[in-house]
Amino acid sequence: MAAPASPAAVPSKVSSAPLAKADRLGLLQALERKVLWLSSWMIHNANHLRPSRDGLKVGGHQASSASCVTLLTALYLDVLRSVDRVAVKPHASPVYHALAYLLGRQSQEKLQSFRALGGAQSYPSRTKDGDDVDFSTGSVGLGVAMTSFAALVQDYARLKGMQPEERPAGRMVAVVGDAELDEGNVFEAMLEGWKHDVRNLWWVIDYNRQSLDAVVSDRLFNRIDSLFSAMGWRVVTLKYGKKLEAAFAGADGAALRDWIDACPNSLYSALVFKGGEGWRKHLEGDLGHLPGIRGFLGAHDDQSLHAVMTNLAGHDMETVLEAFHAVDDDLPTCFIAYTIKGFGLPFAGHKDNHAGLMNEAQMAGFQRAMGVPEGQEWARFAGLDLPEELLEAFLAAVPFAASRERRLVAPVVPVPDTLPLPQGARMSTQEGFGRILNDLAGGDSELARHIVTCSPDVTVSTNLGGWVNRRGVFDRRERADVFRDEKVISAQRWQMSPQGQHVELGIAEHNLFLLLAALGLSAPLFGARLLPVGTLYDPFINRGLDALNYACYQDARFMVVATPSGITLAPEGGAHQSIGTPLVGLALPGLACFEPAFVDELAVLLRWGFGHLQAEAGGSVYLRLSTRPLEQPQREIAPVADEIVAGGYWLKPPAPGAELAICYAGAVAPEALAAHAALLEDIPGAGLLAITSADRLHADWLTGLREGGGSHVVRLLAPLAPDAALVTVIDGHPATLSWLGGVARHRIHPLGVETFGQSGDIPDLYRVYGLDADAILDAAARACLERSGGRA
Ligand SMILES: Cc1ncc(C[n+]2csc(CCOP(=O)(O)OP(=O)(O)O)c2C)c(N)n1
Ligand SMILES: [Mg+2]
């Protein structure tokens, strides 16, 4: 087996719980068997015993689960405390649920309906599972990285005194599949974690040297080991268990160790699958000339030889416990635990076992071996030869479960009725955003105290500079602003300290969304309410999209302010312009997407957003802003504030029975206004609809259709003639608004951007891409022609 470069010594020190060490170990080993049984049975039940109605394989991962039974049992039933927060590798979901079941936090019914509607989820889910999952996992690599950002957020809250004093720091723990380390996002997060000097972080790598398709390269882990060390992590390698170590201590044991160290991963895996006979043949062939090895082989029958040769540390409870308990500081620590995929199951080590399921006969054999009587498959202690009271008492005293309620609550931060409205005749929404935050930063409101901003190296260019000048950059330590101290004039004052309220990230957008996910869960995870606002360039939402999706899936609450957007960012060209992001906003659950045109609309939305982040049935918010300065309307916004939040209002109301309306979103407002003014000569009743949120309008429309009671968009369009035409226009994909034609069966002429952008100025680009006033008028003319029976 490929040996990591620098196996760390594992000091021995075991738990100081009242039970004697040996008793405790025995109990944990018994429960470990039970966890293996329950996780395997749960999957078997779902696939073989529950009637199938659709002919689909239900699935579940018996091999991936078996691989980390010891690690997870040790963690949950002995090592973790209730303040710790854990991301369990996705395919070990059954192990997690089995442990929760033993701890009385999961019902038998949910286990029986694993992967069925309402049952335990295939991959641990914070929102869909009822048994206290800390971090959802599923898309590999994300849960791992999430723990690093959670560690950062814990420090942010602690250093600001936002957590109760007496609450100790928890450990953020990821149980990681080794192939998860192929995901680049893990390393992006490691680098960012190093910059922020994160603490209390444990990554426990289930090093079974198998991924989905294959056995991993022997040379890989030498690299990975050194990567962790280079980032300042402690690396603890758990390679061999006690039985193997004892064999190594025997006669010619060093040769045995050398043999197994040098054994290629593929051969080791194949021999694990083949069993005792295979081991014997290879050891006789390679080391049979050594008397000590001959003695060793003679002393073991095939079964016990197999047990010794597969005694890797990740399956040796005693070794695992020693390693975990030996760490008593807050240095980020990576445990590389050698394991066998499918350990204890018939397909252990087989390279194709990822999706493998035991068949009926194999399961029957496994059940006999586990000593679980028929009919008692779900019984918590059946087949364990320890008294039930002892097991119950042990489980009742598990430190992790000491606090019944691990999900914390934090009081809602009051939001004022209105936010300050920046004054100015011409302004972009981006500038308006920066000025509103700057204004908040200058005050002393509760709201401002709970806002935390973050940005992936675009803080200044997304207009957060004013806020950061006033509120400072977060850092574990006070750091001087050297440029300022040296009297070098700069508009940016970046004072770094634990009081800072801005987290500056490197460019990786993926990290931004993971940080927002962690910040956005700080109330339930750490009991500290934070109102996170993250800024980035709109096109780069796609760069971090899986992490954004992940954040929303967990119901983390945050605001994304994406600016600049669209081809309105004209000189920057196609690589910096966004087309499809409004559709992302429309399609992503849990994220209310808005595209205001004017700063007074933005102020309404920001205010509402801070409430929405905190509302029970609320969610996250995405504001798609622009750098294009627009003439600001001088008006009282309050009368339309609710409509702005609902997604749209008539900027120029249509006459009853009007035959045409222009519906626009965002920065194309001047073109829509100009076209509308020109149209009024021919179509005096034409309306101009400001769409502030296609997303909210659309969602509300569908709800209305399903549940009756109408919807905002139906009411908005009601004054128009039944055969009226709509010309929609957005600096984004036209499908964002084209659905409006279906609301009241109006004829629709959607304008927007369908091909990649390029450099230019706004007049040129809007002309080329068909968003200017002429394009809108052309579309309106075609619509009128259609209505009069002419051909477009
Ligand atoms: C982002 C992502 N890509 C692909 C998959 C499909 N997938 C599921 S498991 C897996 C291999 C996991 O291997 P490893 O992390 O080593 O887990 P284990 O061996 O413990 O099962 C893959 C590719 C996924 N879940 N997420
Ligand atoms: Mg693996």
Side-chain angles (χ1 to χ4, degrees):
M1 279 183 296
S6 53
V10 175
S12 66
K13 192 177 97 184
V14 285
S15 165
S16 56
L19 270 174
K21 181 180 160 186
D23 295 347
R24 201 169 171 80
L25 184 63
L27 278 158
L28 285 163
Q29 284 167 333
L31 290 165
E32 170 192 17
R33 275 166 64 88
K34 182 47 71 179
V35 171
L36 176 64
W37 163 257
L38 281 171
S39 54
S40 305
W41 179 252
M42 195 185 312
I43 299 167
H44 184 77
N45 176 71
N47 284 276
H48 295 280
L49 305 180
R50 232 172 34 215
S52 166
R53 295 186 300 177
D54 52 14
L56 289 182
K57 171 184 163 178
V58 179
H61 301 85
Q62 286 175 331
S64 301
S65 293
S67 183
C68 60
V69 159
T70 311
L71 296 171
L72 280 167
T73 305
L75 284 169
Y76 276 102
L77 300 189
D78 188 73
V79 178
L80 296 176
R81 297 151 305 157
S82 62
V83 287
D84 298 332
R85 301 287 179 259
V86 192
V88 175
K89 71 169 191 175
H91 304 81
S93 176
V95 180
Y96 176 78
H97 293 303
L99 282 158
Y101 176 61
L102 290 178
L103 289 170
R105 293 173 172 239
Q106 177 64 295
S107 69
Q108 179 180 327
E109 190 195 347
K110 297 266 184 198
L111 301 191
Q112 283 177 293
S113 49
F114 172 60
R115 290 191 164 222
L117 185 66
Q121 298 294 296
S122 340
Y123 306 111
S125 169
R126 253 192 86 78
T127 50
K128 300 281 188 292
D129 277 316
D131 55 352
D132 211 4
V133 171
D134 292 324
F135 302 112
S136 300
T137 54
S139 174
V140 299
L142 295 186
V144 188
M146 176 75 174
T147 54
S148 180
F149 290 103
L152 173 59
V153 172
Q154 176 175 247
D155 278 349
Y156 183 95
R158 284 172 61 77
L159 291 167
K160 286 196 171 53
M162 295 174 100
Q163 281 196 291
E165 286 254 307
E166 66 285 358
R167 190 181 151 76
R171 279 192 173 122
M172 303 299 116
V173 181
V175 176
V176 184
D178 46 354
E180 293 198 69
L181 300 179
D182 285 340
E183 292 285 1
N185 84 273
V186 172
F187 300 97
E188 290 179 358
M190 258 171 92
L191 195 58
E192 200 59 57
W194 175 81
K195 289 188 218 164
H196 291 278
D197 194 13
V198 292
R199 304 271 135 184
N200 293 301
L201 185 59
W202 278 16
W203 288 357
V204 180
I205 300 175
D206 177 359
Y207 185 36
N208 59 27
R209 302 168 311 286
Q210 278 186 251
S211 57
L212 195 161
D213 284 338
V215 175
V216 304
S217 159
D218 292 325
R219 296 162 56 238
L220 188 65
F221 251 65
N222 293 343
R223 299 291 108 214
I224 285 176
D225 178 292
S226 36
L227 270 170
F228 275 97
S229 303
M231 291 291 158
W233 287 58
R234 173 195 290 117
V235 179
V236 177
T237 300
L238 303 171
K239 197 165 185 187
Y240 299 120
K242 300 284 176 190
K243 282 190 224 163
L244 263 174
E245 291 290 357
F248 298 154
D252 291 322
L256 183 64
R257 179 192 279 272
D258 289 347
W259 184 88
I260 199 166
D261 271 345
C263 186
N265 287 340
S266 316
L267 177 62
Y268 185 83
S269 295
L271 292 179
V272 167
F273 180 71
K274 288 174 78 173
E277 213 179 314
W279 294 113
R280 193 174 299 281
K281 193 160 151 259
H282 275 264
L283 287 172
E284 272 169 358
D286 294 343
L287 303 179
H289 57 286
L290 299 172
I293 298 297
R294 281 202 302 278
F296 168 71
L297 291 174
H300 289 88
D301 62 11
D302 279 357
Q303 202 184 345
S304 72
L305 178 63
H306 183 63
V308 176
M309 295 303 288
T310 56
N311 176 234
L312 299 186
H315 299 303
D316 192 295
M317 182 60 84
E318 194 177 357
T319 309
V320 166
L321 290 176
E322 282 173 1
F324 287 152
H325 284 295
V327 175
D328 56 7
D329 58 18
D330 64 1
L331 191 69
T333 299
C334 164
F335 299 90
I336 301 175
Y338 276 71
T339 56
I340 291 167
K341 194 152 171 169
F343 186 70
L345 306 184
F347 39 58
H350 196 290
K351 72 182 179 65
D352 305 333
N353 65 11
H354 184 79
L357 295 173
M358 279 185 268
N359 61 28
E360 298 278 6
Q362 287 172 321
M363 183 42 96
F366 180 59
Q367 181 162 5
R368 277 192 301 279
M370 289 277 122
V372 176
E374 230 174 287
Q376 292 193 45
E377 289 83 0
W378 299 106
R380 282 161 80 231
F381 306 125
L384 306 183
D385 21 328
L386 285 169
E388 196 165 322
E389 313 79 72
L390 191 64
L391 290 159
E392 285 290 12
F394 173 82
L395 287 169
V398 161
F400 174 76
S403 154
R404 255 342 275 175
E405 201 35 84
R406 294 182 61 256
R407 287 208 179 177
L408 309 175
V409 280
V412 169
V413 175
V415 180
D417 289 342
T418 54
L419 293 185
L421 182 63
Q423 296 305 308
R426 271 176 82 77
M427 223 186 309
S428 69
T429 43
Q430 191 203 54
E431 183 189 343
F433 162 73
R435 287 176 59 184
I436 293 172
L437 270 173
N438 184 39
D439 208 276
L440 279 172
D444 187 29
S445 62
E446 275 288 289
L447 175 63
R449 262 199 299 282
H450 288 83
I451 290 175
V452 47
T453 59
C454 49
S455 186
D457 203 25
V458 289
T459 299
V460 176
S461 50
T462 55
N463 248 315
L464 272 179
W467 163 269
V468 177
N469 279 348
R470 288 181 144 160
R471 292 279 163 165
V473 176
F474 172 73
D475 197 285
R476 291 175 65 88
R477 277 176 290 274
E478 292 286 339
R479 286 184 205 273
D481 180 345
V482 176
F483 279 80
R484 192 173 155 77
D485 294 349
E486 293 294 327
K487 306 211 168 20
V488 177
I489 294 173
S490 163
Q492 313 304 328
R493 288 192 304 273
W494 280 34
Q495 188 68 43
M496 295 176 154
S497 77
Q499 283 73 49
Q501 281 181 250
H502 171 77
V503 182
E504 180 68 8
L505 296 171
I507 305 175
E509 285 75 14
H510 215 276
N511 280 339
L512 170 76
F513 291 120
L514 289 175
L515 174 60
L516 286 172
L519 288 166
L521 289 173
S522 63
L525 290 177
F526 307 119
R529 171 86 62 187
L530 296 174
L531 300 172
V533 179
T535 65
L536 81 165
Y537 291 179
D538 196 58
F540 304 131
I541 281 196
N542 293 328
R543 189 70 182 257
L545 195 49
D546 198 25
L548 174 59
N549 185 69
Y550 177 68
C552 292
Y553 178 63
Q554 302 197 65
D555 198 25
R557 302 296 182 82
F558 53 87
M559 227 183 256
V560 181
V561 181
T563 166
S565 64
I567 58 171
T568 315
L569 181 64
E572 285 286 314
H576 271 50
Q577 295 161 347
S578 60
I579 302 171
T581 47
L583 294 173
V584 169
L586 196 73
L588 203 51
L591 187 69
C593 171
F594 296 90
E595 186 158 357
F598 302 112
V599 175
D600 55 2
E601 296 168 354
L602 173 66
V604 166
L605 293 171
L606 271 173
R607 190 207 79 87
W608 173 84
F610 286 124
H612 189 62
L613 300 191
Q614 305 186 70
E616 187 85 25
S620 290
V621 176
Y622 162 24
L623 299 171
R624 188 174 189 252
L625 305 186
S626 170
T627 42
R628 183 185 188 190
L630 300 188
E631 212 65 53
Q632 296 296 312
Q634 302 306 313
R635 60 180 171 177
E636 188 58 52
I637 198 69
V640 284
D642 288 348
E643 288 191 274
I644 288 170
V645 170
Y649 66 99
W650 285 108
L651 190 61
K652 308 282 181 192
E659 63 195 76
L660 187 99
I662 297 170
C663 315
Y664 76 92
V668 292
E671 285 66 27
L673 273 159
H676 179 259
L679 265 177
L680 284 181
E681 288 175 21
D682 295 327
I683 312 173
L688 180 61
L689 185 63
I691 309 279
T692 46
S693 175
D695 177 30
R696 301 249 310 160
L697 273 188
H698 185 261
D700 175 56
W701 174 48
L702 296 194
T703 307
L705 287 179
R706 274 193 304 267
E707 298 172 9
S711 58
H712 185 51
V713 71
V714 166
R715 286 187 290 276
L716 280 172
L717 299 182
L720 301 177
D723 61 347
L726 307 177
V727 176
T728 62
V729 55
I730 180 170
D731 186 348
H733 197 276
T736 314
L737 297 179
S738 60
W739 60 270
L740 283 170
V743 173
R745 318 287 193 272
H746 289 133
R747 283 169 298 119
I748 184 91
H749 287 257
L751 305 179
V753 184
E754 294 163 82
T755 56
F756 285 117
Q758 56 190 302
S759 302
D761 66 4
I762 287 183
D764 273 346
L765 292 188
Y766 276 17
R767 186 183 70 253
V768 171
Y769 290 82
L771 299 184
D772 62 3
D774 284 346
I776 299 171
L777 287 170
D778 281 352
R782 281 198 300 278
C784 293
L785 257 174
E786 263 174 22
R787 193 173 193 240
S788 61
R791 291 173 60 84

